[in-house]
Amino acid sequence: PLHDALPISPQCPAAVRWLKGSVSGSGECAEVARTDEHVWIRDSKNTLGPVLGLPALEWAAFITGLRSGEFD
């Protein structure tokens, strides 16, 4: 499960490939990028703004929870 408190996001590398969801018709969505140890999340409308970095294992737990209906 996701931890209640995560450490402050590490610095996002400049050379990551950002992906936007294919169902983001209006363009207002989050973008994600992945490195070996982290998943990075940013607002697609503010690409120079803050970036949240999560450990890859925490992201995997979050996605598993979404798919299982944990947050419904």
Side-chain angles (χ1 to χ4, degrees), residues 33-55:
R34 184 168 187 140
T35 58
D36 289 339
E37 296 186 17
H38 291 88
V39 173
W40 308 94
I41 306 146
R42 71 178 181 185
D43 183 346
S44 65
K45 299 178 306 302
N46 185 13
T47 59
L48 298 177
V51 175
L52 174 65
L54 296 175

Side-chain angles (χ1 to χ4, degrees), residues 9-20:
S9 294
Q11 182 67 32
C12 179
V16 294
R17 181 173 167 231
W18 291 99
L19 302 172
K20 188 185 305 186

